Amino acid sequence: MTERRVNRMVQGLPTQDGAGVKLKRILGQPALQNLDPFLMLDEFHSDQADDYIKGFPPHPHRGFQTVTYMLNGKMRHRDSVGNEGIIDDGGLQWMNAGRGIIHEEMPQQSEGLMRGFQLWVNLPASEKMSAPGYEDIPGSQVPVVNNEVGQVRVLAGSYADVEGPVKSHATEPLFLDVTIEGGELSVPIAAGHSAFVYCFDGQLAIGQSTFATGTLAVLSDGGQVTLSGKPSGRAIIVAGQPINEPIVQYGPFVMNTEQEIHQAIQDFQQGRLA
């Protein structure tokens, strides 16, 4: 199987979003605006309540999906179509904004560590006006594959014939949380799918490319990727089928044309979004 290599590496940029939540924007910044079908990747990581306590009050979305993966902490989701749930350690929320949704994500803790990721996944034109939907997956329902070099949490897609709990989506996503304690770990990725590895603890290597905490490695096309711990590390591996359609984004709206963006803004302003 053809090995994927590292095409480039990107460092996240400190920023704020929501009501002042401090985070690191890794994908969706000048150095890496998008990686079709992925539009944004943020990491939040702080044990200072002032950095996250005000959360993300009600705000709109249209035309894509949001994925929130919580490593540590507790956050409540509530939206305009009646969904509500609390995500905590190891849990995952996958929300389809589709034709429109207004949601909020608010911390359910006043102290302690809050750490995790939010990933934005684009939708093809045929699904941008689909009905909004929501999957709430507790950490206890995320399957874990243990092997001689570490551990793989299968959030979406499959690894070692173990299927993740996320239902099928248009981009055929793969989302793994891998821990490597020495040795090598090979992960098959569908040929033609865009893929990246984000190291968030320790240090890893892919071929001759070594990267450490806070670095995203964009992978070449091919088959599997083989990671090794240097001496150990933890990362998310994310892959998906490119959509290959125009991307027009205005804040929380991602469509294919300027006209569709203007319509989204108008629908929101006139209360027709969700």
Side-chain angles (χ1 to χ4, degrees):
M1 185 178 291
T2 306
E3 286 285 339
R4 289 183 181 240
R5 299 299 182 187
V6 176
N7 269 352
R8 59 185 297 204
M9 296 187 190
V10 177
Q11 302 293 319
L13 292 178
T15 188
Q16 295 186 20
D17 212 331
V21 177
K22 292 184 179 178
L23 48 83
K24 187 183 297 181
R25 182 145 297 158
I26 305 136
L27 200 163
Q29 49 130 320
L32 186 60
Q33 292 188 346
N34 60 69
L35 185 66
D36 188 12
F38 307 112
L39 302 165
M40 189 189 80
L41 175 67
D42 284 346
E43 178 183 17
F44 47 93
H45 183 190
S46 180
D47 58 6
Q48 302 299 308
D50 288 347
D51 291 345
Y52 59 75
I53 198 65
K54 293 182 179 179
F56 302 88
H59 57 282
H61 291 299
R62 173 179 279 182
F64 64 100
Q65 301 178 330
T66 68
V67 184
T68 305
Y69 177 41
M70 187 71 73
L71 298 172
N72 307 98
K74 185 176 290 188
M75 187 93 73
R76 186 195 70 230
H77 166 99
R78 183 180 292 160
D79 63 43
S80 56
V81 294
N83 297 309
E84 184 171 350
I86 293 179
I87 182 174
D88 57 15
D89 295 8
L92 180 77
Q93 292 178 342
W94 198 297
M95 186 187 78
N96 179 52
R99 62 176 176 259
I101 199 167
I102 298 170
H103 78 143
E104 63 178 60
E105 295 163 303
M106 302 300 293
Q108 298 299 286
Q109 61 188 62
S110 57
E111 61 182 13
L113 178 62
M114 178 78 73
R115 189 179 192 190
F117 302 96
Q118 184 163 99
L119 175 71
W120 287 13
V121 185
N122 200 11
L123 284 170
S126 60
E127 295 190 21
K128 283 192 176 293
M129 297 299 285
S130 58
Y134 172 76
E135 296 175 61
D136 188 348
I137 300 158
S140 61
Q141 292 182 15
V142 176
V144 177
V145 178
N146 292 298
N147 53 43
E148 63 277 7
V149 299
Q151 181 186 91
V152 179
R153 304 190 80 236
V154 187
L155 301 158
S158 65
Y159 172 77
D161 296 323
V162 174
E163 295 286 335
V166 172
K167 297 174 184 176
S168 177
H169 291 290
T171 57
E172 302 175 23
L174 175 71
F175 193 161
L176 307 176
D177 174 356
V178 304
T179 301
I180 302 175
E181 301 287 348
E184 291 186 343
L185 178 74
S186 293
V187 176
I189 300 174
H193 284 205
S194 301
F196 66 82
V197 178
Y198 179 69
C199 179
F200 61 92
D201 273 327
Q203 186 167 284
L204 298 167
I206 299 173
Q208 300 302 308
S209 301
T210 300
F211 55 107
T213 303
T215 303
L216 180 144
V218 178
L219 302 182
S220 66
D221 197 3
Q224 69 182 17
V225 61
T226 300
L227 297 92
S228 56
K230 294 292 183 178
S232 64
R234 188 177 178 188
I236 54 172
I237 301 176
V238 179
Q241 183 176 34
I243 295 171
N244 295 316
E245 294 177 354
I247 297 172
V248 181
Q249 180 172 353
Y250 180 80
F253 307 127
V254 183
M255 303 300 289
N256 297 105
T257 68
E258 293 282 352
Q259 182 179 359
E260 291 171 332
I261 290 291
H262 293 318
Q263 186 65 56
I265 296 169
Q266 186 178 79
D267 288 347
F268 173 57
Q269 292 173 339
Q270 297 181 1
R272 298 195 303 262
L273 188 70

